């Protein structure tokens, strides 16, 4: 199943292909920065969000491993984009997003320390930053962006509701509202990105057609009999 949102404009197959290429190219171009942010977030949670335990250290190492794999995939795409088909590149990218989303979602349970409001504040701050950053890094692909936001913020809201205190319920509601707002904004980001990409593709196509028309006109002018201009 493809997560790439196809063009809603009636494009020819060639333009559709270019649209997919642009989406995947943008997604991979943002991947290195996204991996750096994920690694730093994991480090912050490890150092300030929870006392080191075997589970916490295992989560941290697995997060770094997934981030490193995604970094290698981005490097491979940057150096040899023609090595795999667009579908294969897309599948690799989506797999990385799914793996990272699962790890981030599990962090809501691993790093949530009942009674430790400092650790809870660190967790909320990290999740707010990562989810906001995902709007830009995943703007080319709406499906993975929605998946990340839901899997990261929904478990956090549920974990807050489990505490059953007034303040946790209020914060849980705020997280739920925040998640809803990000999902709406994500759709707009994706729509704006696709519109910009479609406009660029149509502009390039118009330029090519204009250049071809000028070339044909020049050829006719050069090869025309001299007599017709007398």
């Amino acid at each position: 199943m493809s997560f790439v949102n196809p063009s809603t404009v009636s494009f020819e197959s060639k333009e559709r292909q270019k649209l997919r290429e642009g989406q995947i190219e943008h997604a991979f171009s943002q991947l290195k920065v996204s991996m750096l942010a994920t690694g730093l977030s994991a480090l912050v949670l490890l150092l300030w969000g929870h006392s080191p335990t075997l589970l916490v250290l295992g989560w941290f190492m697995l997060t770094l491993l997934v981030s490193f794999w995604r970094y290698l995939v981005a490097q491979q795409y940057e150096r040899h984009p023609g090595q795999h088909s667009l579908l294969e590149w897309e599948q690799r990218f989506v797999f990385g997003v799914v793996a990272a989303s699962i790890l981030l979602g599990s962090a809501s349970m691993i790093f949530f320390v009942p009674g430790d409001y400092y650790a809870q504040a660190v967790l909320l701050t990290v999740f707010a930053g990562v989810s906001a950053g995902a709007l830009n890094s995943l703007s080319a692909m709406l499906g993975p962006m929605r998946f990340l936001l839901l899997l990261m913020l929904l478990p956090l809201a549920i974990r807050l509701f489990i505490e059953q205190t007034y303040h946790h319920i209020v914060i849980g509601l705020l997280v739920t509202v925040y998640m809803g707002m990000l999902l709406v904004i994500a759709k707009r980001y994706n729509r704006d990105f696709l519109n910009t990409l479609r406009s660029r593709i149509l502009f390039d196509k118009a330029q090519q057609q204009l250049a071809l028309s000028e070339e044909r006109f020049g050829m006719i002018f050069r090869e025309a009999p001299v007599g017709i201009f007398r």
Side-chain angles (χ1 to χ4, degrees):
M1 178 179 180
S2 173
F3 275 102
V4 173
N5 185 15
S7 170
T8 57
V9 177
S10 180
F11 271 11
E12 298 176 2
S13 59
K14 186 176 181 180
E15 278 67 40
R16 288 181 180 275
Q17 182 79 358
K18 289 182 178 180
L19 183 63
R20 284 193 73 195
E21 289 176 356
Q23 289 179 268
I24 295 174
E25 180 182 354
H26 182 271
F28 276 108
S29 69
Q30 300 294 316
L31 192 53
K32 292 181 181 180
V33 176
S34 177
M35 292 308 92
L36 178 61
T38 301
L40 290 175
S41 299
L43 183 61
V44 168
L45 290 175
L46 177 67
L47 296 178
W48 290 286
H50 201 291
S51 300
T53 63
L54 188 60
L55 178 61
V56 169
L57 292 176
W59 178 90
F60 179 73
M61 294 304 297
L62 187 57
T63 300
L64 291 184
L65 183 62
V66 170
S67 298
F68 182 66
W69 178 82
R70 296 181 72 192
Y71 177 84
L72 292 179
V73 172
Q75 283 283 88
Q76 186 183 21
Y77 176 82
E78 183 178 323
R79 295 175 180 176
H80 309 288
Q83 186 174 1
H84 301 288
S85 66
L86 289 180
L87 179 59
E88 290 174 324
W89 284 122
E90 181 188 345
Q91 289 173 342
R92 284 169 168 77
F93 182 84
V94 171
F95 177 82
V97 173
V98 170
S101 301
I102 293 174
L103 286 169
L104 289 171
S106 64
S108 298
M109 304 301 172
I110 296 174
F111 290 94
F112 192 97
V113 185
D116 190 340
Y117 299 113
Y118 176 77
Q120 295 173 20
V122 170
L123 183 63
L124 287 168
T125 303
V126 168
F127 273 36
V130 173
S131 58
L135 293 178
N136 179 61
S137 62
L138 294 175
S139 60
M141 296 186 178
L142 184 58
M145 192 186 334
R146 285 173 170 171
F147 191 86
L148 176 65
L149 293 174
L150 286 170
L151 197 57
M152 183 170 57
L153 296 178
L154 191 57
L156 178 61
I158 293 174
R159 187 62 187 84
L160 288 165
F161 291 138
I162 290 175
E163 290 298 294
Q164 295 183 346
T165 68
Y166 171 78
H167 293 94
H168 284 94
I169 291 175
V170 171
I171 296 175
L173 289 173
L174 290 176
V175 170
T176 304
V177 172
Y178 177 68
M179 178 182 64
M181 291 176 58
L182 288 184
L183 289 172
V184 173
I185 296 173
K187 186 175 181 179
R188 293 180 179 177
Y189 264 57
N190 179 256
R191 181 188 61 197
D192 292 343
F193 172 83
L194 292 179
N195 287 338
T196 301
L197 185 57
R198 291 182 195 118
S199 298
R200 189 176 69 186
I201 293 173
L202 291 175
F203 177 76
D204 291 342
K205 182 179 179 181
Q207 276 192 319
Q208 292 174 1
Q209 291 176 341
L210 178 61
L212 183 61
S213 298
E214 290 178 346
E215 182 180 353
R216 288 176 177 173
F217 178 78
M219 185 181 300
I220 294 174
F221 182 82
R222 289 190 301 269
E223 295 179 358
V226 179
I228 64 174
F229 296 102
R230 291 180 180 177

